[in-house]
Each structure stands twice: as structure tokens, then as C-alpha cells.
Amino acid sequence: MATDFDLFIIGGGINGCGIARDAAGRGLKVGLAEMNDLASATSSASTKLFHGGLRYLEFFEFGLVRKALIEREVLLRNMPHISWPMRFVLPYHPDMRFENDTPTSRLLSTVMPWMKGRRPAWLIRLGLFMYDNLGGRKILPATRVVDLTRRPVGAPLKDKFKQAYEYSDCWVEDARLVVLNARDAAEHGARIMTRTKVISADRVKGHWQIVTETNGKQSTHTARALVNAGGPWVENVVRQVAHQNTSEGVRLVRGSHIVTKKLFDHDKAYFFQGEDGRIIFAIPYETDFTLIGTTDQEHDDLNTKPVATEAEQDYLCAFASQYFEKPVTRDDIVWTYSGVRPLYDDGAKSATAATRDYVLSLDDNGAPLLNVFGGKITTYRKLAENALGKLTPLIGGTSPWTEDAPLPGGNFKVGDRDRLVSDLLADYPFLTPAWALRLIKGYGTEARSILGDAKNSADLGRDFGATLTEAEVKWLMAREYAKTAEDVVWRRSKLGLRLTPDQIAALDAHMAG
């Protein structure tokens, strides 16, 4: 029997939207339902890095790290507007320790008991050598040793830190990554349904019958195959929506971040190791701020909205203050955010030790059901490719195609961003440099489509503050599924850091009208 879709996807986070894009580009009829806004949960609450996961080497996750390192540069090439290279400074001090129960710490405690859990410098150098070479690095520069007493990156740090290692990873605008994948899926024919909850999904006569609800109205769809990319809700979808039994599950781990006033005056990030063995990052954020995170806390109740608790905020301030000469306090915090990471439950003893790799579980006893457990933002494209590798033998579709396919607005070379900003300023002289940079970072080559034939800022319509104009809001509503001010100022952008509550309320009223 003919169905509405070849593939129906539950979940509009990075995994769901990545699978939708890949599938639609293979010629499949794709539908996707997200109960809230795109990237409204975990996918907008990451540390916003494409990275191999340097600390995962201590857990002997060599395969995961290698996959992520290879993928890092693939992603960078395909989205140089929302992702860019970043250098990380890892200060070293002899008192740094392993987390108590990593495979590496257990091994060293056996062969070098006199170290008493400390991380030796040679081991960090070995880890960074592996990090440089496991993934066939081509674009990003290699690790180097830095004299903190002579370099600007040492100025904000305490005097006891004399030496550091500087290595490469990449920044990514996580929520925009999700939206651009959804947009590209739609441009390939997918139907993206936001604020649409899946009420039930049942196998009926060899296909899936899916009931959704949007604004109180129910609709029924049919599909040859179903993908459960529910993220933290993946188990709920299996059992309560698709009415299937499973022995697999996820471990819900809350990761909280704080955003503070700008703590240093350079463009490099810091990788801090604690005396308890944990690590955090301190990253330049939105020009005038610093992002610090993350925590790893068990989160047992999905009905409880994740927030950065006072204890977590204090922990991150105290951790960063072990390194910065000027202590970081709660008074420095301007914003916090928190998300629940659905890690595949591999039985690890701690949240930190739980694997960040993903598991794709295919149930082909009838119409195919693919459940997505775990994953990390860096490997989302490969996850989608592997998901289609399991599904295409059952439902058809052409070969993989996303490795060399830029996301919308990303059709320019890594390193050309400054040229795009200069060209935009030349053609639209009423823009300020900060405004032009924000537009290129958000929209890449599509920034010109937003500005159109404007000769001055008045041509862009109402000014909502912080360079947000009616023309941009109109674009976001028409092209990027934005429906509320929150969608615009906290996910499509981070202008919520600069707008007042009254300005945000005015934007909300405009969008509702």
C-alpha cells in the first residue's frame, strides 16, 4: 500500500534533523515531528564544540575519538559560517589528578603507584600527540607548548601556572546546526512539523500508522519505516508511543553551563583540569562573554526541567577560580543553561564515565523501527549516515551524499569569513562591523538574502534592538520555523544576552500578531 512517507522521524534535535536531511537527499519521502521548537532540548544546551573528546582517551574510547576527529574537519568544511577553528590552552601543574576510576588511572596506579593519581606531563603530551594524529588532521594546526609567563594567554591565570599545551578543536553554533539541517531536509522535500507531538505509532498492515497533535488538532500519517530520535525521551517513545518492549535504555545526565562577563581579552579557550580529575572549558562567547562548563549530574526525572542549580553554579565558579587570578563569583554570571544528555546506558559507574558513543537499534520484525540511543553533536552526520545504512536496504534510497555537501549559507571556504564580512560592509555601508559579523556567523552567504535591496537600516523594517530587524525576524519565521521570541533570541541567535525583557516581550507580541 502507498504511504504518506517512506520514513517518519520522531524528534527535532540534531540526530532527528540530521537523519531527515540525509534521507531526503537520498530521494526518500520524509516526515519529521518535533513536539516543541527545533533544538529546544539537548541540542541547544551543549558546550558548542565539534571535538574529538580529549578526555575520552583516558577511558580508552579510541574508536569514538578517532571517528569524531575525522568528522570534525568534514563538518568544518561544510559549515564555515556556524563553525570555526578554535585553539584551546591546557595549563599544566603537577597537582592535576585523574578522575578516580578511569582505566588510565587504574593502570597508572598499578605501574606507577608513587604518582598517587596525579597526571604526569608525559601522559598529557602522549594524549595530545594521539589527538593530533588519530584523525588525519588537515586544516587545524597541531599542538604546541606555550610559555604562560610570556604569552597573553597566561595573563589571566594564577602565577603558579608556568606552562601549557595549546591544541585545536572547533566551535559550533549548536542550535543553528539543527535548524540548518532541518532547512536542508525541507529543501530536499522533507516535511518538518514543529510543535507537533506524536501521540501514538502502531504497526498496521506492514506499515506504521502515526497519530500527531498540533494545536489540539490530531492528524494521521502512514510511513514505511519509523525512526525514534527522541533524545532524552527515546525510552518513552519506544514504550509509550510505539508500544514496544526494549531492554536498551539511556542514562540521563545533566550538563549545566554558566555564562559570565568577559574574563579574558583573547580569542583562545581554556581546558581546565581539576584536582578531582574532572575537566571544564572556559570559552570566549558572543564577543563580550565567557562560557564555562560543563557539569555531569544524574537527572532522574524528565518532567523536571533541567536548570543549573546553585550548587552547580558554585562548583563551576570555584573550579574556574582555581585557575583565574581574579576569582569567578556568582556576581559575574549573566545567564545559565542546562540540558539533559541521553547517554547510552552501558552500566558505567559514574555519569562522567558513561560512553558518549551512540547505538542504533533496528527492530525489523514488521515495519522497520530504528531507535537512536546516545550520540554526541560531533558525530551526528555519521550517525545519520549509519542510520540510513541500516534502513535503505529495507526501504530504498540512493547512496550517501552529505560528506561534501555544505549546509545552507556554508558555500564558502574555511578561512574566508572575514572576506565575506568585508564584502558585506562594502555593499551595505549602514551595517556596523559587529552587525555584519553576526549576520555572516549566523547565515553565511544567505545574509544577503535577508538584507535584500536595503539602502539603510530603515529599509529593514522595525528595529527590535541589538541589530535584530523585522527583515531578519521575517526570514526566521518563513525559513527557519521560528514562532516565538524565545526561538529567535535563544536558539536562532543568542541576542537574549543583549535584549531587555521589554524588548523580548515586544518581539513576542510582534511574532504572535
Side-chain angles (χ1 to χ4, degrees), residues 30 49 84 118 362 381 491 510:
V30 176
L49 300 177
W84 50 88
R118 292 191 295 271
L362 178 64
R381 191 198 66 84
R491 284 185 285 278
H510 170 83

Side-chain angles (χ1 to χ4, degrees), residues 64-75:
L64 172 63
V65 173
R66 183 174 185 275
K67 284 189 293 186
L69 288 172
I70 293 170
E71 189 65 8
R72 188 179 58 175
E73 293 198 2
V74 172
L75 299 175

Side-chain angles (χ1 to χ4, degrees), residues 104-392:
T104 303
S105 69
R106 292 197 298 271
L107 178 62
L108 258 69
S109 67
T110 300
V111 299
M112 299 175 65
W114 59 89
M115 293 299 294
K116 298 181 179 178
R118 292 191 295 271
R119 278 187 177 104
W122 65 263
L123 187 68
I124 294 174
R125 288 197 298 269
L126 175 62
L128 287 166
F129 175 81
M130 295 174 67
Y131 205 71
D132 275 348
N133 293 284
L134 271 175
R137 176 181 47 82
K138 296 177 181 176
I139 300 173
L140 300 173
T143 297
R144 65 178 186 138
V145 178
V146 176
D147 182 348
L148 294 175
T149 65
R150 295 169 177 255
R151 306 291 294 184
V153 293
L157 303 178
K158 291 181 176 178
D159 289 341
K160 74 175 185 177
F161 297 105
K162 309 295 185 186
Q163 179 179 290
Y165 304 96
E166 187 180 294
Y167 71 95
S168 293
D169 264 323
C170 298
W171 174 265
V172 62
E173 299 289 349
D174 53 2
R176 291 207 56 73
L177 173 67
V178 177
V179 170
L180 293 179
N181 270 272
R183 270 196 58 206
D184 208 29
E187 288 174 11
H188 284 89
R191 182 181 174 193
I192 307 296
M193 295 166 272
T194 62
R195 292 172 166 85
T196 298
K197 186 171 184 177
V198 176
I199 304 299
S200 64
D202 296 288
R203 287 182 169 113
V204 177
K205 297 180 180 178
H207 65 267
W208 283 97
Q209 182 171 288
I210 303 118
V211 178
T212 61
E213 184 173 280
T214 310
N215 296 325
K217 181 182 177 182
Q218 291 195 355
S219 303
T220 301
H221 318 270
T222 55
R224 296 168 61 200
L226 183 68
V227 168
N228 170 15
W233 293 270
V234 62
E235 286 187 64
N236 293 23
V237 172
V238 174
R239 296 189 174 95
Q240 298 171 21
V241 176
H243 311 118
Q244 306 293 310
N245 294 319
T246 181
S247 60
E248 295 174 300
V250 290
R251 184 171 192 160
L252 301 177
V253 176
R254 186 176 67 252
S256 295
H257 298 75
I258 59 175
V259 175
T260 69
K261 292 173 275 190
K262 191 174 185 177
L263 299 178
F264 46 88
D265 292 320
H266 57 78
D267 62 356
K268 294 178 171 63
Y270 290 102
F271 178 117
F272 292 155
Q273 307 170 81
E275 292 182 5
D276 62 354
R278 282 199 37 74
I279 66 102
I280 62 168
F281 296 99
I283 305 172
Y285 190 59
E286 295 293 319
T287 306
D288 299 316
F289 307 94
T290 300
L291 171 64
I292 300 175
T294 179
T295 60
D296 278 321
Q297 296 292 321
E298 303 286 354
H299 189 87
D300 298 325
D301 185 6
L302 272 174
N303 294 318
T304 302
K305 180 180 171 65
V307 296
T309 64
E310 290 188 1
E312 287 175 303
Q313 294 177 47
D314 288 340
Y315 171 80
L316 291 172
C317 287
F319 198 144
S321 297
Q322 293 175 22
Y323 282 81
F324 288 121
E325 182 64 40
K326 182 183 177 185
V328 182
T329 71
R330 295 269 291 279
D331 291 339
D332 295 314
I333 299 174
V334 298
W335 182 50
T336 69
Y337 67 89
S338 187
V340 176
R341 298 190 293 269
L343 307 181
Y344 182 71
D345 192 351
D346 59 354
K349 290 183 180 178
S350 71
T352 304
T355 183
R356 266 57 176 174
D357 212 345
Y358 58 82
V359 171
L360 302 174
S361 179
L362 178 64
D363 173 3
D364 56 0
N365 184 25
L369 168 64
L370 184 73
N371 295 308
V372 180
F373 296 96
K376 60 197 293 279
I377 196 166
T378 311
T379 51
Y380 90 89
R381 191 198 66 84
K382 287 300 291 184
L383 181 153
E385 197 170 81
N386 291 335
L388 269 296
K390 288 179 175 287
L391 290 168
T392 51

